[in-house]
Amino acid sequence: MKRLSICAGALYFAGQISVAQAQPVPESISTPDSVETGIGTLTFKDGVPDAATADAVYDNLDFTYAYRAFMDNMRGVSIHALKKGMMDIGMKENEVLVFSELMDAKSLFLTANADTVYVMGYLDLSKGPVVLETPPKFLGAVQDAWFRWVTDIGLPGPDRGEGGKYLIVGPDYDGPLPTGGFYVAKARTNTILWFARSFLENGSDPRPVVERIKQSTKVYPYKPGGVGTPIAEFLAGKAKLGKVETNPPRTVFHEGSGKVMNTIPPNDWSFYEMLNEVVQSEPATSLDPELMGPVAAIGIVKGKPFAPDERMKKIMGEALRVANATARTLFIASRDESWFYYPDSSWINYLFQTGYQFETPIPEITSEGVKPFPPTGYRTMSARSNFFYGVTGITPAMAMRLTNIGSTYLWTMQDADKHPFDGAKTYKVTLPKDIPEGNFWSLTLYDNMTRSMLDTPQRYPRAGSQTYPSPAAEAAEDGSTTVWFAPEQPEGVARGNWIQTDPDKGWFVVLRLYSPLEPFFDKSWRPSEVELVK
């Protein structure tokens, strides 16, 4: 008698066995027994990694997380370093640092300038909202602990340069807020850094500007129920009544000019320690979870001790070195052609392409009004890393095509032949006549290593149209202006047309146009490349 049954893939028929053939695994989803990679030869047996392979893969994964923690979050550590630099000279929250004689090369600040009076401070919103009263003719911004823009103040802000009261509110505050009298800005972190600049009077004297700043700038805790709270809100049970603040606590000012301070984010192990301090001091939800993921993966977690073992310290140290080298290379040796402002040029400003969020080009300004570009849907990561490695402060006002408002920048790390600048050699750049600025222009030299102003006996490494803190640059008969960069003042070159270099230092240069005009935006005006003379 014949019998038919099916069991475990075998076919039984008439006492004979026929084994079913397994389908071959598609090559596209297979992992070979041996895989050659940049981290070595990885070995698998039927898709299972051996112990050495698993160790190598996990080491590489942790390296990747540590690398991303630097590249994605150097901006937060930069804010922390700025705050720490101010604390190191004795500043406290709600106090103000003012550079009465301008900033010079003794202070380490990322690409700051020696043309304007800098004013800055930090706030702690965990204790409640803080009022920042600004003077007229300010130009600045408020940043949160992760270096995100909160609001503009002064000329590009809602007070439009007339001065005003800004109420900065932290993430945990749920109390009453005024309905008027203040420009209210809500932040996602408790730590806030604000900074601003004021222009010199007639381009020559900072004293009246400093006096105005000290008279009008005030920083103090907000007390609900005063100005901005209508009586009707109280009668409706929606708000308490408080005293109208007519004499807020006196603001403490610190002098910055000539002070030696370091505000540069580190690239040694203290980077991770500073990053941990930021994470511990801010709400757990203050940063996007995708960005916080790699940070948590290397052991920096809100409310937990940061205590990596020796294996992780070794991996994180290597990641730190590679990440710093990558960020520095992006900053010094840019390769993206879209970043260069003119065709076949070394002058850079990618913010026109990426916007201040490194995502969407800044709007065109037409006779019909603003013409925005559609969102790209992606962030230009290399531009973001480049920017925060070398620049302090981000705001929409740094990336706009509006004439006669704010300032705009071009910078170059290479000469006309695409070579880095040598501090022992002589170079020159020519600005054609009718430089497109409604206020003033300047060129400033920076140290490649520190990304801060180049420190030489000249003290202020700048040249420009202002007569302070160095003589104004002189134009030639044809209206053009040539500025020279050399260790010694070239023969026949006026003092105002020379910026001193250091023979032992490399450098780069930034061109600033304050209140830029249309010929800059339509590119009908263009500076020469920086040319090697000898």
Side-chain angles (χ1 to χ4, degrees):
M1 181 179 180
K2 296 180 179 179
R3 185 176 54 171
L4 179 67
S5 68
I6 299 175
C7 179
L11 178 65
Y12 294 84
F13 183 74
Q16 297 180 350
I17 299 175
S18 175
V19 179
Q21 295 297 315
Q23 292 292 324
V25 178
E27 185 175 347
S28 62
I29 65 171
S30 298
T31 300
D33 293 343
S34 181
V35 181
E36 298 297 330
T37 74
I39 60 172
T41 301
L42 306 180
T43 303
F44 296 85
K45 183 177 181 181
D46 194 28
V48 179
D50 63 18
T53 292
D55 287 345
V57 167
Y58 279 119
D59 284 353
N60 183 65
L61 183 61
D62 289 333
F63 175 92
T64 301
Y65 290 144
Y67 174 87
R68 283 195 56 192
F70 183 97
M71 298 297 284
D72 290 342
N73 301 298
M74 71 173 85
R75 52 206 179 119
V77 174
S78 186
I79 285 287
H80 194 66
L82 267 166
K83 175 184 172 183
K84 186 176 183 302
M86 287 188 277
M87 293 175 67
D88 287 345
I89 64 167
M91 280 187 64
K92 300 176 182 178
E93 64 192 63
N94 297 353
E95 295 181 347
V96 177
L97 179 64
V98 58
F99 290 79
S100 299
E101 297 179 8
L102 308 191
M103 191 182 295
D104 62 21
K106 298 302 179 186
S107 297
L108 295 179
F109 279 79
L110 293 174
T111 52
N113 69 65
D115 304 309
T116 58
V117 178
Y118 273 100
V119 191
M120 63 188 70
Y122 65 91
L123 316 176
D124 180 4
L125 303 182
S126 66
K127 302 174 183 178
V130 175
V131 177
L132 169 60
E133 293 190 22
T134 63
K137 301 180 181 180
F138 236 28
L139 175 65
V142 177
Q143 318 277 184
D144 77 3
W146 294 110
F147 223 139
R148 293 174 299 208
W149 174 74
V150 177
T151 186
D152 286 319
I153 55 179
L155 290 165
D159 74 270
R160 299 295 297 277
E162 296 298 314
K165 293 182 179 181
Y166 289 80
L167 181 60
I168 315 300
V169 182
D172 299 324
Y173 181 75
D174 59 0
L177 291 173
T179 59
F182 297 86
Y183 303 113
V184 179
K186 295 187 177 182
R188 288 180 279 176
T189 64
N190 289 316
T191 300
I192 290 296
L193 187 134
W194 64 272
F195 68 94
R197 294 157 291 163
S198 283
F199 301 144
L200 305 186
E201 295 288 344
N202 301 315
S204 62
D205 189 356
R207 287 175 296 181
V209 177
V210 173
E211 184 178 348
R212 181 173 67 234
I213 289 169
K214 290 185 175 181
Q215 285 180 345
S216 302
T217 305
K218 297 180 177 66
V219 188
Y220 53 89
Y222 170 69
K223 295 181 180 179
V227 170
T229 302
I231 297 296
E233 293 278 309
F234 166 71
L235 295 175
K238 297 179 181 179
K240 296 181 179 179
L241 282 185
K243 179 182 176 183
V244 174
E245 188 69 77
T246 58
N247 189 27
R250 184 180 67 88
T251 298
V252 175
F253 288 88
H254 294 257
E255 180 55 56
S257 293
K259 286 284 181 67
V260 176
M261 67 181 80
N262 178 18
T263 70
I264 309 297
N267 49 259
D268 61 5
W269 184 258
S270 62
F271 174 90
Y272 292 121
E273 294 172 338
M274 281 195 179
L275 180 58
N276 180 58
E277 290 171 2
V278 177
V279 170
Q280 300 305 329
S281 64
E282 299 302 333
T285 56
S286 67
L287 192 64
D288 184 278
E290 289 288 333
L291 292 175
M292 193 64 85
V295 177
I298 61 174
I300 298 177
V301 179
K302 173 80 171 179
K304 295 184 178 180
F306 173 48
D309 58 22
E310 290 305 312
R311 168 187 165 274
M312 278 300 294
K313 284 183 177 179
K314 180 179 179 181
I315 291 171
M316 292 167 67
E318 176 66 12
L320 193 68
R321 291 186 288 274
V322 173
N324 176 66
T326 302
R328 179 171 286 279
T329 299
L330 285 168
F331 185 70
I332 296 292
S334 306
R335 69 176 182 179
D336 191 328
E337 291 297 326
S338 71
W339 291 10
F340 296 95
Y341 195 62
Y342 307 102
D344 191 30
S345 174
S346 293
W347 289 107
I348 294 174
N349 190 331
Y350 44 73
L351 292 177
F352 291 96
Q353 299 297 322
T354 68
Y356 80 102
Q357 292 184 316
F358 310 99
E359 189 269 329
T360 298
I362 62 176
E364 297 278 4
I365 307 298
T366 70
S367 57
E368 289 78 31
V370 177
K371 179 184 177 183
F373 288 91
T376 62
Y378 63 85
R379 203 173 306 285
T380 310
M381 307 302 287
S382 292
R384 186 179 73 178
S385 297
N386 173 303
F387 186 90
F388 286 110
Y389 196 76
V391 181
T392 295
I394 187 66
T395 159
M398 296 180 75
M400 60 182 180
R401 292 186 171 93
L402 280 175
T403 59
N404 269 310
I405 295 180
S407 54
T408 195
Y409 316 85
L410 292 176
W411 60 95
T412 181
M413 280 73 175
Q414 298 177 331
D415 65 19
D417 297 317
K418 310 295 184 183
H419 299 309
F421 297 115
D422 183 339
K425 296 180 179 179
T426 298
Y427 300 83
K428 67 176 182 178
V429 64
T430 297
L431 309 181
K433 68 176 182 177
D434 299 326
I435 299 172
E437 46 80 12
N439 199 326
F440 66 95
W441 65 269
S442 73
L443 287 159
T444 307
L445 256 56
Y446 297 94
D447 183 327
N448 282 343
M449 187 63 71
T450 66
R451 292 93 74 201
S452 301
M453 283 188 280
L454 188 66
D455 192 4
T456 70
Q458 206 173 59
R459 186 182 179 187
Y460 299 101
R462 50 84 62 189
S465 56
Q466 296 189 148
T467 59
Y468 185 94
S470 55
E474 299 176 14
E477 290 185 4
D478 64 359
S480 66
T481 303
T482 298
V483 175
W484 298 68
F485 314 105
E488 302 293 336
Q489 185 172 346
E491 186 176 352
V493 173
R495 168 62 185 85
N497 295 65
W498 166 59
I499 306 178
Q500 188 173 28
T501 60
D502 182 336
D504 298 323
K505 290 281 190 179
W507 53 270
F508 63 93
V509 62
V510 175
L511 169 65
R512 288 178 170 86
L513 302 175
Y514 290 88
S515 301
L517 304 178
E518 186 59 29
F520 172 79
F521 297 113
D522 66 20
K523 302 182 183 180
S524 58
W525 180 90
R526 172 178 174 171
S528 77
E529 299 301 298
V530 180
E531 302 170 357
L532 174 64
V533 178
K534 62 178 180 178

